[in-house]
Structure formats: structure tokens, C-alpha cells
């Protein structure tokens, strides 16, 4: 599909800040995050637990629960800033133009409602269609994600499905209105690798054919390597590295990305102790001055006391670091 | 399903049998009705004749076997006082108690559910804090005191509502009901409210806790992520889930409402079973006490069964099949 080069991206997040105002203080869960996703592209948002990836996803949906609040930045979806929309305007976009898939398939479907109820209500929330037409749409969507005999399965309750099947149902619900953007929050983390593979392949196919942009939130680098076009690495509420997925994984610039890739067990040699990043992620309640990764970084120097900016060290390669791994890029 | 029902019925039979033994021994231990029933001036001969007529001369196990044999034929004995079959005596008064208990239960749901829902959805608002404070009062104020206060305020001071009795009744299906006439409703209002007060508080707290717990569930967030209206999220996705505990508890509470309507019936002179049992205990009318307790046991068993059946309707994960 040839897209005009100057076409506006489906989603452009600029300097997003989402903070939680707790009794213990302000938790800066998302602190200056920027990225963009073009039509039909997949952006992998990677980071450790607590790095703010999920909150970023919920911020785009505007489903951050109090005491959390979007305090700054803009979320441009097809040119409209979601941050300024009213709840009612936002509701018309949710599930319709922007869909979300959750992490735990065992928890996302309502246990006391049948699958058909949960799918038909989604269709009818955004379009005036008859029950039969909505049911037909639901059945087609189930077929599309590879659920056998969708007509019978529509009458089932969630507990009659396995985890993988439930996630397929959740994906089918997300696809009902052929959204322009899907926010997928670790949708395959809870699944077997074989099911994960099938679902990834289907998602990839759908993005390519329907032009849906996708934000794929995960901590699994191998999933990102196979699925995403671009990658954004988050650490302590900030994007620390951003660029093409192949280039970033091959030659990471940021020491954190470097450590993250090094920590993947399959990359380590047998018999040699597994590599790891020492220390823990800092408390978001009380971030250290300067670079948040400073305390764990092997390349930290005195100038790291000043927070680095997301700097374009290479063409289309951004990294938030004073001492990126440029020498490895040069030698490669 | 039928296997399940059969098993439940057999279990129910066992419970009734065990209960009858406990009740029989318990009533025997309370005291000797002869002292109350027979005038102190009666001589030894008259005394013995009366004791034999009542069947109280036989040993306890023999009395029990006679009782059991007659109970199997639907005869729970004759009241010492009224000289009428105890069962009939109780059944005559049952509609009044059932009416009161139903009115109280429906009132509790009609008032408790909306208030609990509000308190759960807006936990920090002034209104919901007032509701929760009120529910503590509902829990802790004793029924008899609230009943007396209601009479003081609404019957004595304001004169809005009558203080005692059932008022005008209409006969439907062979029994008399108060709630079908305006006058009867006026009579029903205060005792029903008095009996409902504790249950309103219970329903409020259950609903609020259920709403607060359910609102945090992923499936509620997912329902919002689907773009459903807040109304549908609350009244379909949240509501159906909180109904499960609410139905269970109000169902089970219904049994205790009947059993413990004693206090309310006494205060408002409501001619139901509760008033009968209090009077019977005062004169040690053993057959009536035993029959009353047996009926209450049967009622509890039936209610439990109905609650279990409703559970399977509300929660599809519960399957009533024999394993």
C-alpha cells in the first residue's frame, strides 16, 4: 500500500504526562512521552513493569482512573487532540475508531453475560443496526479471529472458553468497527507460545489489510522483533530510545536498551551466568535528579546529573542519553 | 437437575428429623406446662387425668415417637390452650406474617439497592457518606426501640398512621390480605419499615461493597473501552454481578425476617405467627411451639433451595448438576 509521504500519522503523542496524585505524593507514571504511529504500522512500546507503558495505553483511551490524570501534552488522533475531548465525544471514539485489547483474557469478558450480548452491545453502541445484523457482524468477527463454529460459540459464556479463545473473542470485539487504531496492552503475555504465534500472525495480517495502526505494549522483545515496525523503549515514565525496530534491536544506543536486550536468556551462552541489569527501577514517587537510569548504568558519568534530552544521534534514531553506544554502531 | 433436586430433598428430610429431636428435647427442658395449665386447686386425681389426657405421662422417647407418627400424617398435635390443631392455628396466622415479611424484604431491596448503588458509584460524595452513616444506625438501633419511636412520632404525635392491627383486609384465594386496601397499607407501613430497617442497611452495604469491587474489574474497564454508555456499564455489566451476593443474602435473610418478626409483631400487635409463638411460649403450649419451629425449619430449607436455584440463573458458572 503506497501511502503519501506527508500523510498525517494515525496517532501522534506529544510530551504526554500522566500523573497520579496519591497521598504519598505525585507519581509521575508517564512523564514526557512522545511517539507517532502511521497508518497500518505497529509500534512496540517496551519496558519493565512499572515503566508506564500501560498507563500510556490507558491515557490514549482516556481511561485513566482517579487519582490519575493527564496533566500535559497532546494525543493527536487523526489530527484531533484527544486530551481536549469531552467524555461523551471520547466515548464515541472508544471501541469504534480506537479499540483496546487488555492483558488478561480471563478478566476482560464479563462472566455473567453471554458472548453475543457482549459483542452485540459493542456494535449497537456506535451504529444503529438491528439485532440480527449486529449478530451477523459478531459472528463474522469471531470467524475472522479463527474461532470455529462461531454461531454456537456466540451463545456461550466466557467461562466456557479457554484463555486463548477468550483473547480471540476480545480481539474480535476490538475489530467489530474496523478501528483506525488498536491499543494492545500485552495481549499475548498470558497465552501459550503456540497460541501467541497464531494471534500475532493474525494481527499482523489484519493491520496490513485494513490499515489499522497498532500500539503494541509488551515487555517481550521477541514479540516486538517479529511484529513491530518501530519501537519505543520506556524507562521510569520516559521514552529513552525510539527508532526502527530492526536497527534498535541490532545496535541499541541507550545503555538501558542494551542491557534489556542482553538480558534475553536465549542470547546468553549456555553455562555462562545469565546477564542482567543490576538494581531496580527507581520509585516513580521520588525520581533521582538527572537521568533516571544513572544509578544502574555502566556508562554513567558526572554529566548524567543533568537529564538528557531525546536526541537524534543517528538519522531517525532517538536516544535519551549523554553517552550512547555509538562506537558499536560505527564498528558494525 | 432432577437428581440434584432429589438429593436436596433427602438432605432436607434429614435436617427436619434432626431438628424435630432437638426441638422436642428443648421444649421438654423449658418447663412443665401442667403447672400453668391446671389450676392450683385441682386435686391429685384431676391432675393425673389431665396429664394422661395430654399424653404427658409417657416417657419422653415415647412422646416423641407418638409425635413423629402423627406428624407423618400431617398432625403436629393440638394446642393445649386453644384445643385446636397447632398446625391450623399457625397456618391461619401465617399470611399476616408472610405479608409483613414480603413487604419488608421488597422495601429493603427497593430502598437499599438504589442507595447502595449511589454510595458505591460516588464513594466520596456527601450523600453517600450520609447513607453509610444512616446504615450504621439501621444496623445498631434495636428493633423494639425504633418501633416504639415510630409509634410515638407517626401515630401519637403526628397522627398520620395507625399504631396497631392489620386494618381493612380483602379476601383473595381464601386468605385475608392488608396490602390491597388503602387502610390496610397504612397499617402495614410502619411495621414493615420497622422490620425492614436492618435489611435496608444490609442491602446498602452489600450493594456498595459489590459496586466498589466490581468497578475495579477489568471487564468493567473493557466495557468502557468498548464505548458503552455509562448507563449500560452500570446497569448491565456492574449490576448483574452485584445481584449475586444481594440475592443470596436477602434470600437467606427472608427466613430470619419471618422468624424474627416476633418483636415487630408484638409491638404493633400484628396478628401473625410471631405474636402467636410469644403467647404460646408464655403458657408453655408445647404443640404450638414445636409446630412453629418445624414450620420455620421447613421454610428455611425451602428458601435455601430457591436461593440456590436463582443463583444458577444469575451466575452461569454455577451448574446444578450431580457430579
Amino acid at each position: 500500500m503506497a501511502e503519501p509521504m506527508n500523510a498525517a500519522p494515525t496517532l501522534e503523542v506529544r510530551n504526554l504526562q500522566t500523573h497520579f496524585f496519591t497521598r504519598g505524593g505525585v507519581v509521575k507514571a508517564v512523564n514526557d512521552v512522545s511517539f507517532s504511529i502511521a497508518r497500518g504500522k505497529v509500534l512496540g512500546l517496551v519496558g519493565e513493569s512499572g515503566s508506564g507503558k500501560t498507563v500510556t495505553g490507558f491515557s490514549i483511551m482516556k481511561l485513566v482512573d482517579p487519582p490519575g490524570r493527564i496533566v500535559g501534552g497532546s494525543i493527536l488522533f487523526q489530527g484531533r487532540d484527544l486530551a481536549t475531548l469531552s467524555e461523551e465525544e471520547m466515548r464515541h471514539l472508544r471501541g469504534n475508531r480506537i479499540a483496546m485489547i487488555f492483558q488478561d483474557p480471563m478478566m476482560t469478558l464479563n462472566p455473567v453475560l453471554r458472548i453475543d450480548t457482549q459483542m452485540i452491545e459493542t456494535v449497537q453502541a456506535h451504529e444503529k443496526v438491528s439485532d440480527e445484523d449486529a449478530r451477523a457482524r459478531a459472528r463474522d468477527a469471531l470467524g475472522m479471529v479463527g474461532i470455529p463454529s462461531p454461531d454456537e460459540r456466540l451463545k456461550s459464556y466466557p467461562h466456557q472458553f479457554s484463555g486463548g479463545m477468550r483473547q480471540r473473542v476480545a480481539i474480535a470485539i476490538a475489530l467489530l468497527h474496523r478501528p483506525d487504531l488498536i491499543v494492545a496492552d500485552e495481549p499475548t503475555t498470558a497465552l501459550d507460545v503456540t497460541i501467541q504465534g497464531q494471534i500475532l500472525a493474525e494481527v499482523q495480517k489484519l493491520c496490513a489489510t485494513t490499515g489499522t495502526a497498532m500500539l503494541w505494549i509488551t515487555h517481550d522483545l521477541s514479540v516486538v522483533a517479529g511484529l513491530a515496525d518501530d519501537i519505543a523503549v520506556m524507562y521510569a515514565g520516559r521514552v529513552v530510545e525510539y527508532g526502527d525496530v530492526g536497527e534498535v534491536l541490532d545496535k541499541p544506543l541507550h545503555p538501558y536498551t542494551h542491557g534489556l536486550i542482553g538480558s534475553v536468556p536465549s542470547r546468553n551462552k549456555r553455562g555462562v551466568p545469565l546477564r542482567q541489569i543490576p538494581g531496580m527501577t527507581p520509585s516513580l514517587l521520588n525520581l533521582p535528579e538527572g537521568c533516571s537510569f544513572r544509578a544502574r548504568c555502566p556508562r554513567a558519568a558526572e554529566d548524567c546529573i543533568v537529564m538528557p534530552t531525546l536526541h537524534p544521534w543517528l538519522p531517525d534514531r532517538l536516544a535519551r542519553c549523554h553517552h550512547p553506544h555509538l562506537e558499536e554502531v560505527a564498528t558494525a | 437437575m432432577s437428581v440434584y433436586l432429589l438429593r436436596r430433598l433427602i438432605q432436607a428430610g434429614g435436617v427436619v428429623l434432626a431438628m424435630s429431636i432437638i426441638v422436642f428435647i428443648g421444649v421438654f427442658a423449658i418447663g412443665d406446662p401442667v403447672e400453668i395449665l391446671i389450676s392450683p386447686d385441682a386435686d391429685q386425681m384431676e391432675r393425673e387425668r389431665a396429664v394422661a389426657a395430654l399424653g404427658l405421662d409417657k416417657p419422653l422417647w415415647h412422646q416423641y415417637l407418638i409425635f413423629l407418627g402423627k406428624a407423618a400424617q400431617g398432625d403436629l398435635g393440638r394446642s393445649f390452650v386453644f384445643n385446636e390443631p397447632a398446625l391450623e392455628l399457625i397456618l391461619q396466622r401465617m399470611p399476616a406474617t408472610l405479608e409483613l415479611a414480603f413487604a419488608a424484604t421488597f422495601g429493603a431491596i427497593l430502598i437499599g439497592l438504589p442507595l447502595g448503588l449511589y454510595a458505591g458509584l460516588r464513594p466520596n460524595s456527601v450523600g453517600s457518606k450520609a447513607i453509610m452513616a444512616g446504615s450504621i444506625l439501621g444496623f445498631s438501633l434495636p428493633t423494639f426501640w425504633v418501633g416504639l419511636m415510630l409509634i410515638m412520632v407517626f401515630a401519637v404525635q403526628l397522627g398520620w398512621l395507625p399504631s396497631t392491627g392489620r386494618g381493612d383486609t380483602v379476601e383473595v384465594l381464601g386468605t385475608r390480605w392488608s396490602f390491597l386496601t388503602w387502610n390496610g397499607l397504612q397499617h402495614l407501613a410502619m411495621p414493615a419499615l420497622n422490620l425492614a430497617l436492618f435489611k435496608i442497611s444490609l442491602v446498602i452495604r452489600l450493594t456498595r461493597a459489590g459496586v466498589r469491587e466490581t468497578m475495579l474489574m477489568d471487564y468493567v474497564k473493557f466495557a468502557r473501552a468498548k464505548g458503552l454508555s455509562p448507563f449500560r456499564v452500570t446497569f448491565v455489566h456492574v449490576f448483574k454481578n452485584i445481584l449475586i451476593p444481594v440475592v443470596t443474602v436477602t434470600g437467606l435473610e427472608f427466613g430470619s425476617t419471618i422468624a424474627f418478626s416476633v418483636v415487630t409483631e408484638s409491638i404493633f400487635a400484628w396478628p401473625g405467627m410471631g405474636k402467636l409463638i410469644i403467647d404460646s411460649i408464655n403458657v408453655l403450649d408445647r404443640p404450638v411451639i414445636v409446630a412453629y419451629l418445624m414450620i420455620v425449619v421447613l421454610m428455611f430449607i425451602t428458601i435455601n433451595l430457591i436461593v440456590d436455584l436463582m443463583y444458577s440463573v444469575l451466575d452461569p458458572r454455577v451448574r446444578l448438576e450431580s457430579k
Side-chain angles (χ1 to χ4, degrees), chain A residues 207-270:
Chain A
C207 279
T209 53
T210 59
T212 301
M214 171 119 46
L215 176 64
W216 193 278
I217 299 167
T218 183
H219 59 249
D220 190 340
L221 286 172
S222 60
V223 168
V224 172
L227 182 75
D229 300 291
D230 293 323
I231 183 172
V233 181
M234 276 188 83
Y235 186 80
R238 288 190 171 88
V239 172
V240 293
E241 181 151 12
Y242 183 46
D244 175 81
V245 70
E247 285 184 36
V248 170
L249 293 182
D250 269 357
K251 300 157 202 136
L253 291 176
H254 198 283
Y256 175 65
T257 319
H258 208 264
L260 207 59
I261 295 167
S263 303
V264 176
S266 62
R267 294 219 168 195
N268 288 275
K269 285 213 172 67
R270 208 180 142 74

Side-chain angles (χ1 to χ4, degrees), chain A residues 91-107:
Chain A
R91 189 169 74 68
H92 289 298
L93 287 178
R94 278 189 211 124
N96 186 11
R97 301 327 318 149
I98 311 174
M100 187 159 182
I101 308 167
F102 285 41
Q103 178 170 9
D104 187 354
M106 307 308 269
M107 300 299 295

Side-chain angles (χ1 to χ4, degrees), chain B residues 272-309:
Chain B
M273 300 194 300
K275 195 155 180 325
L276 176 71
I277 186 72
I278 286 290
D279 295 344
S280 301
I281 290 173
N282 281 335
V283 295
L284 289 177
D285 195 347
R286 280 188 191 173
V288 179
I289 301 172
V290 172
Y292 172 83
L293 289 173
M294 298 307 292
I295 285 174
V296 168
V297 169
L298 275 177
M299 229 181 249
F300 263 94
I301 289 170
T302 317
I303 290 165
N304 272 330
L305 184 62
I306 293 172
V307 168
D308 279 355
L309 293 177

Side-chain angles (χ1 to χ4, degrees), chain A:
Chain A
M1 259 202 259
E3 284 289 321
M5 290 303 283
N6 56 355
T10 301
L11 179 73
E12 189 173 358
V13 175
R14 282 189 205 148
N15 310 107
L16 177 68
Q17 286 181 302
T18 304
H19 296 176
F20 288 77
F21 298 87
T22 65
R23 266 181 219 166
V26 180
V27 179
K28 295 171 180 168
V30 175
N31 202 358
D32 191 9
V33 164
S34 306
F35 55 78
S36 69
I37 315 172
R39 199 169 170 269
K41 297 289 181 191
V42 180
L43 173 72
L45 189 60
V46 183
E48 285 173 85
S49 310
S51 59
K53 0 181 249 302
T54 299
V55 176
T56 304
F58 280 127
S59 300
I60 293 165
M61 298 297 292
K62 287 190 72 182
L63 282 176
V64 179
D65 287 322
R69 208 169 68 223
I70 298 172
V71 291
S74 53
I75 306 161
L76 296 171
F77 172 70
Q78 297 176 330
R80 282 166 91 188
D81 187 0
L82 301 183
T84 62
L85 291 188
S86 72
E87 174 59 24
E88 187 60 18
E89 288 170 310
M90 198 57 216
R91 189 169 74 68
H92 289 298
L93 287 178
R94 278 189 211 124
N96 186 11
R97 301 327 318 149
I98 311 174
M100 187 159 182
I101 308 167
F102 285 41
Q103 178 170 9
D104 187 354
M106 307 308 269
M107 300 299 295
T108 43
L109 299 172
N110 194 324
V112 301
L113 298 176
R114 286 192 341 199
I115 300 298
D116 54 359
T117 316
Q118 302 194 44
M119 293 190 82
I120 289 169
E121 68 179 5
T122 314
V123 176
Q124 291 179 336
H126 302 291
E127 282 175 46
K128 278 198 166 24
V129 288
S130 69
D131 285 358
E132 294 92 81
D133 290 349
R135 178 177 290 276
R137 286 260 291 273
R139 188 188 53 220
D140 294 346
L142 283 186
M144 203 152 60
V145 294
I147 288 181
S149 51
D151 263 319
E152 287 163 43
R153 300 307 265 162
L154 270 178
K155 296 192 193 88
S156 311
Y157 284 95
H159 71 273
Q160 292 163 315
F161 286 82
S162 68
M165 281 295 171
R166 285 193 216 187
Q167 196 60 296
R168 281 166 196 263
V169 172
I171 292 172
I173 290 175
L175 295 175
L176 279 171
H177 290 279
R178 298 188 169 272
D180 301 311
L181 173 69
I182 294 179
V183 177
D185 183 10
E186 309 207 31
T188 57
T189 309
L191 304 179
D192 291 341
V193 273
T194 49
I195 308 290
Q196 185 177 326
Q198 291 172 3
I199 287 182
L200 289 180
E202 268 154 28
V203 163
Q204 205 165 27
K205 200 170 72 193
L206 282 164
C207 279
T209 53
T210 59
T212 301
M214 171 119 46
L215 176 64
W216 193 278
I217 299 167
T218 183
H219 59 249
D220 190 340
L221 286 172
S222 60
V223 168
V224 172
L227 182 75
D229 300 291
D230 293 323
I231 183 172
V233 181
M234 276 188 83
Y235 186 80
R238 288 190 171 88
V239 172
V240 293
E241 181 151 12
Y242 183 46
D244 175 81
V245 70
E247 285 184 36
V248 170
L249 293 182
D250 269 357
K251 300 157 202 136
L253 291 176
H254 198 283
Y256 175 65
T257 319
H258 208 264
L260 207 59
I261 295 167
S263 303
V264 176
S266 62
R267 294 219 168 195
N268 288 275
K269 285 213 172 67
R270 208 180 142 74
V272 179
L274 296 176
R275 278 162 58 194
Q276 53 177 327
I277 305 175
M280 291 192 336
T281 43
S283 160
L284 292 171
L285 209 61
N286 190 14
L287 284 172
E289 208 183 329
C291 175
S292 332
F293 190 57
R294 190 160 51 100
R296 304 168 73 186
C297 183
R299 297 167 75 96
E302 277 177 14
D303 51 351
C304 295
I305 198 84
V306 178
M307 170 58 84
T309 53
L310 201 57
H311 180 75
W313 290 98
L314 294 168
D316 292 324
R317 290 287 305 277
L318 301 166
R320 191 186 288 276
C321 184
H322 293 303
H323 310 283
H325 287 258
L326 284 170
E327 66 284 357
E328 290 170 37
V329 178
T331 56

Side-chain angles (χ1 to χ4, degrees), chain B residues 118-274:
Chain B
Y118 175 81
L121 292 173
R122 308 230 179 295
N124 296 317
S125 69
V126 179
S128 85
K129 283 185 178 141
I131 290 169
M132 295 322 285
S135 82
I136 292 174
L137 285 183
F139 265 127
S140 38
L141 292 180
T143 315
F144 74 87
W145 184 81
V146 175
L148 291 175
M149 285 302 122
L150 284 175
I151 292 178
M152 282 286 285
V153 173
F154 292 103
V156 179
Q157 308 260 326
L158 298 170
W160 290 352
L161 293 167
S163 62
T164 54
R166 284 188 78 183
D168 299 340
T169 54
V170 176
E171 190 166 312
V172 178
L173 301 170
T175 41
R176 309 202 68 85
W177 302 100
S178 291
F179 73 98
L180 294 170
T181 65
W182 177 239
N183 182 273
L185 269 181
Q186 285 180 319
H187 279 83
L188 183 61
M190 272 205 294
L193 179 68
N194 189 36
L195 194 56
L197 209 60
F198 179 84
K199 293 151 74 66
I200 294 173
S201 312
L202 189 68
V203 172
I204 287 177
R205 296 208 152 240
L206 270 177
T207 310
R208 187 186 101 111
V211 169
R212 298 214 50 192
E213 193 184 324
T214 312
M215 287 304 277
L216 297 178
M217 289 295 187
D218 264 2
Y219 56 76
V220 172
K221 210 161 194 183
F222 188 64
R224 287 166 66 202
K226 294 197 295 189
L228 302 183
S229 63
F231 181 87
R232 190 168 170 95
V233 172
T234 306
F235 287 96
V236 177
H237 285 261
V238 174
F239 200 66
K240 239 195 136 182
N241 276 285
I242 59 165
L243 271 188
I244 297 170
V246 171
V247 164
T248 313
V249 175
T250 34
L252 296 178
E253 269 289 305
F254 185 71
S256 12
T257 309
I258 292 173
F260 303 126
S261 62
V262 175
V263 176
T264 299
E265 285 184 12
S266 302
I267 292 172
F268 292 93
W270 187 263
M273 300 194 300

